[in-house]
Amino acid sequence: MSSVGESSRRKEGPEKLTGVAKYVDDYHLPNCLQGVTLRSSIARGVIKEIRFDPSYDWDSVVVATAKDIPGENYVYLIEVDQPLLVDREVHHAEEPILVLGHKDRAKAYEALSHIEVEYEPWDPVLTMEEALVGKRILYGDDNVFKRFEISKGDVEQGFKDADVIVSKEYRVPHQEQAYLENNGMAAWEEDDGTLVLMGSIQCPFYVHKAMLPLFAREPEKVRVIQATTGGGFGGKEEYPNMIAGHAALLALKAKRPVKMIYDRHEDMRATTKRHPARVRHRTGVTKDGALVAQDIDVLMDGGAYVTLSPVVLSRGILHASGPYECPNVRIVGRVIATNTPPNGAFRGFGAPQTLFAAELQMEAIASRLKMDPVSLRQTNLFRIGSITATGQTLRESVGAENVLDRVLSRSKFRQKKSQHARWNGSKTKPTWRGIGLATVFHGDGFTGSGEVFLRSRAGIELVHDGTLRIDAASTEIGQGTTSILAQIVADALDVPYDWIDVETPDTSKVPNSGPTVASRTCMVVGGLLHKAAKKLKKALVQAGANWPLTREALATSAARACGKKRSIDFVEQYRKPGDVTWDEETYRGDAYGVYSYAAMVVDLEIDKTTYEVTVRDVITAQDVGKAINPLLVEGQIIGGTAQALGYALLENTVVDDRGVMQNAQLTNYIIPTALDMPTMDVTIVEEPYSKGPFGAKGVGELPMDIPAPAVAAAIYDATGLFMAELPILPERLCQALHDSAQS
Amino acid sequence: MIQLKVNGKQRSFRGRRFKRLIDVLREDFDLTGTKEGCGEGECGACSVFVDGELVNSCLIPVYQADGARVETVEALGDPDALDPLQASFLTEGGAQCGICTPGMLMSAWAFVRDGGRDDLDAIRTALAGNLCRCTGYQHIVSSVVATVRDKTRTSARRRTKKK
Amino acid sequence: MRGDPAGMRVLQPRTIEEALDAFARRPSAVPLAGGTDFMVAWNAGGENGRVILDLSAITSWKRVRVSGRGLRIGALTTHWQLQHEASVKKHLPLLAEACATIGGRQIQTRGTLGGNIANASPAGDTFPPLAVYDAKVRLRSASGRRTLPFIEVFEGVKKTSLGAGELIESIDVDAPRKPTRQLFRKVGTRAASAISKTVAAGLLWTRPDGAIRELRFALGSMAPTVKRLRAVEAFVAGKKPTGEVVEEAAALLEEDVSPIDDFRSTRFYRLEVSRNLLRAFLK
């Protein structure tokens, strides 16, 4: 009765396919107010006065400001620097100043237009470069939120030993998550004084923790429930804390339920995006292509508050040297404060930025050495026994060479490359064709000691009637959490998948299995549930169960096992594997327990008339340890690739003179349509990880890391243009072609 | 008063005539399957049929649908009795987060209804007014292909039986 | 959702005459056809409190009438209708093609040709085809009818020369004689549902000796309004499209258009690509 490895039907699929599934805005809450937010129109300054139009009828409106916050005015995260509502000092445009509610959403927006804020504007700092000059200090004494350094070997000696040194600078922009369901949250207070939050969220316990200081409440007086969630991609990791605070503040003041549902415009302008970055590489190589020194400088724009920037930077630098072994490495990363809306979590979490640079740097090196980029990679690629930049020895589950071999053969890489060279040799052809390659790795789970600090707990409830229910805070946001956790448990118990229920993530019902982020759900939470299931099975055996188990026999043995209790919980807590070590101070050791690997070949053509890029083929192989559900894994890979092709070619966040997204509409922020995506060729590679359930590692973020550098490599192959800045828009290609013709 | 025939049922609406069709469906008729993703006709999550035409319900004041037939995703199957199109989406992985899904199903439905074939370009064109951020579209396209092929097989069987 | 239905007033005339009368009395009313532009602005909160003149009931403006080589396209025909209409596909294929590129099917089934024109976006995708077809726009008000050459309808970004109380009744086009070559090309970065960065339509007739008898070429998104490239058209007439002639023609493109940098694209790109399209079409 094996379920793991099968493409079991998505558990909540039928509800989603019939419109029955309830997202936060689908709930009718009696007597509910619609909450909206007044946001700063300036990037930096001081609020002098807030004036309410005296001729407007305010009777049906409830307004809440910072003065109404019963506890501390901050949104709890890594630091407590970000206020829920501005009291005095504005740090970025679109920063929330007050919230108001009206029973009619349009009327609530109208009320906003009757409020006038008078500011004393200060000169803002809108770019990283400006912040580094340090003329105006926004944070600490140098505008640096966080600095990390990784050091291995002797970099200066490495450069002395090098035959060739290649230096390049890379830039990547903001990226908008563009989940199709905008952010939304509902809040109300129960008769017993419990504050309830229900919304579109990735991390129920993050919201829970953030509410406690704001409302000066005991943990049991706050309850957070996940509504069906229409995509997250990191965008609903930390920002919901803010919206929850706003909704709760209004609900408590109005003594009525409040819904805050963002429209697309507000969601795009005000909420977090992927950190823009500048990455500089200086690489020393021998003439036969062995890396001998990597000196990498990573700069990220954090925006106005710390939010998750330190951990985004951390993951960024831990991936900055690529999946390659080099004896001498120095990586310095800094994340900078600016007066722009804070950036935050987005699928890949710093790695897509640095891996774009790392992989394109390999193309630059290959080109300088006049060496085949494939051989260059093969020379340096991680294998069993390789030592990473942090000094971690890779002991198992290293699929790097395997995935590369697969895509090379499936794509007929070398053959295509010479075909394209012939095509491009003909002046009469309407396009240039190119093929490009990339290889990446992605650390699974929280960085370093992160999982140890999380102390995640997840369990299975055995009810006396034989019901089996998974209790975890891990959220289904489209990726398939509910299904894969059920598959793992079903297999461990050797019962059918359909017998496994999954509890709604609700902080009053489930243990804290940690946030649904960092490609950790399957590997870490799935691992806990796998252990819990084994214990549960033992208990059933002791209660007389035999396999193959029937439903009746399950009920009988469950009743026996439960005795007088209604149910028994089998809960497991995360324990650090004994052989994993990490030093937070020196950034030495096992940065991640294990890594997933991917290789991708992108075959594309560029229209000589319009410079538009058409992706003709994407061939990828991704090592995920074990595909618990191959269809869902494929869904992650293809969906992540689409998002990353957008990052590479289409998605251009235009920022105005206040640091705010100007094209904040799906009409003008261009994400791929069905016609922009080729039919992809996906190979799932399984190099099992001994500590993952059934060998599973992570897959959620890996596909986001790889397409952009493969696209840039293909464009280089097609045109000889080295496009080191994303997105590679037709406008940029046009300009670059023009410039190269001039020079 | 505005009269609509929604999913085969006669409904009347007595509120503001300029209320959007999507809001009437969701708030007044409790048909929350229809979703709003952008409010500007770009994402297609609010797609419904009005008199058989595929439209964005966020761009239609309800009075313009007075007297019309309206079909929403709820006109297809139920969770325990899926329509063949929905069943294909389930087996092929055509739904992930589910927000684009109702609108996507309406566009796919229109395509299949109008005799669309398993031509990938035609399917991608038919779905071009619906944005999805989860799937990369491939499994949605294969869901439509599977539906069309099943339909062709079924009708072929029907023809065979008639003989 | 920032549009407030409470403040909206809807006039629902049942006939053309009622519509014209109502519009004459309330010239500030917004004529509403498919709503694909107006409702976007209304949803964003920019059009609250307006009076709407609904045109849904005027069914006679929802048809294409053909007499000989003349097509009279009712202002309320939709983009979906037009791309499937046999007479349009046959005689005005560039228009049919343009209609198929406007949004997805959901937009095409609602958006109308008359609404598209009245909205007067610089990026209107049907405009370059109508410009090269030398279309005429028939306007109607309570006081009568008048006809304008298509190009003259537009005065600026979102500005038309329609007078108070005037509605677009139809777009009249005579099918051109069969061209040697024709072109419609929309450039909008993504493959579907894009707003044009530049959009081109061209008709070309050559003589047996290869010389150009007549060129008509129009560009959208390259100026506040759609533009025919009059200088280019005049220059190439009678000439053989040699490399030199084509280059000179491309250089003349800027005589008639003046694109801008905005958040969708750059002036440089728009010009380069438009020149490329012209070159490719002439060669």
Side-chain angles (χ1 to χ4, degrees), chain A residues 419-701:
Chain A
Q419 277 173 11
H420 289 351
R422 280 199 299 279
W423 173 276
N424 294 335
S426 157
K427 284 227 154 53
T428 57
K429 294 284 193 287
T431 61
W432 296 286
R433 289 185 173 170
I435 191 163
L437 170 76
T439 317
V440 300
F441 68 143
H442 196 94
D444 295 313
F446 263 33
T447 302
S449 314
E451 291 295 341
V452 179
F453 294 132
L454 276 177
R455 291 198 303 268
S456 300
R457 292 165 67 240
I460 310 164
E461 195 183 349
L462 174 69
V463 186
H464 67 91
D465 64 358
T467 299
L468 295 161
R469 188 180 300 120
I470 292 173
D471 291 329
S474 305
T475 51
E476 170 65 59
I477 54 175
Q479 82 286 47
T481 297
T482 309
S483 308
I484 55 150
L485 294 183
Q487 282 178 275
I488 290 168
V489 168
D491 239 36
L493 292 175
D494 197 13
V495 300
Y497 169 69
D498 295 344
W499 292 12
I500 311 296
D501 293 345
V502 183
E503 183 59 86
T504 302
D506 174 338
T507 57
S508 72
K509 291 184 179 167
V510 299
N512 184 357
S513 58
T516 302
V517 303
S519 309
R520 64 182 292 277
T521 300
C522 179
M523 187 181 83
V524 177
V525 183
L528 295 175
L529 290 170
H530 190 212
K531 281 188 200 146
K534 283 187 192 158
K535 288 191 180 156
L536 195 156
K537 189 175 178 190
K538 225 177 255 173
L540 286 175
V541 169
Q542 276 165 13
N546 287 307
W547 272 259
L549 191 64
T550 63
R551 264 237 115 128
E552 293 72 30
L554 170 62
T556 314
S557 42
R560 203 171 297 150
C562 289
K564 282 184 182 144
K565 284 185 277 188
R566 200 192 70 85
S567 65
I568 329 179
D569 291 332
F570 295 82
V571 180
E572 286 292 313
Q573 178 157 353
Y574 179 82
R575 273 185 216 92
K576 183 177 83 79
D579 51 353
V580 174
T581 59
W582 174 251
D583 186 332
E584 195 71 43
E585 294 303 308
T586 60
Y587 258 59
R588 303 295 298 160
D590 301 316
Y592 300 93
V594 73
Y595 299 83
S596 297
Y597 298 86
M600 180 175 284
V601 166
V602 168
D603 190 339
L604 52 75
E605 66 185 343
I606 303 163
D607 189 311
K608 289 181 181 172
T609 308
T610 65
Y611 317 105
E612 290 171 304
V613 178
T614 304
V615 177
R616 301 165 75 225
D617 276 307
V618 173
I619 298 98
T620 188
Q622 313 214 354
D623 164 28
V624 302
K626 169 76 187 174
I628 302 294
N629 184 319
L631 185 70
L632 294 177
V633 167
E634 217 181 82
Q636 286 298 294
I637 293 172
I638 298 169
T641 301
Q643 206 165 35
L645 288 176
Y647 186 47
L649 290 169
L650 302 175
E651 298 179 27
N652 189 30
T653 309
V654 184
V655 170
D656 68 12
D657 57 7
R658 300 170 308 131
V660 174
M661 184 175 186
Q662 206 183 343
N663 51 336
Q665 293 166 279
L666 285 176
T667 307
N668 290 316
Y669 182 76
I670 305 293
I671 65 172
T673 68
L675 280 169
D676 294 288
M677 285 294 296
T679 301
M680 286 178 57
D681 181 281
V682 179
T683 305
I684 295 172
V685 171
E686 298 180 326
E687 296 273 358
Y689 174 43
S690 62
K691 298 179 187 76
F694 301 92
K697 304 190 280 191
V699 65
E701 296 168 286

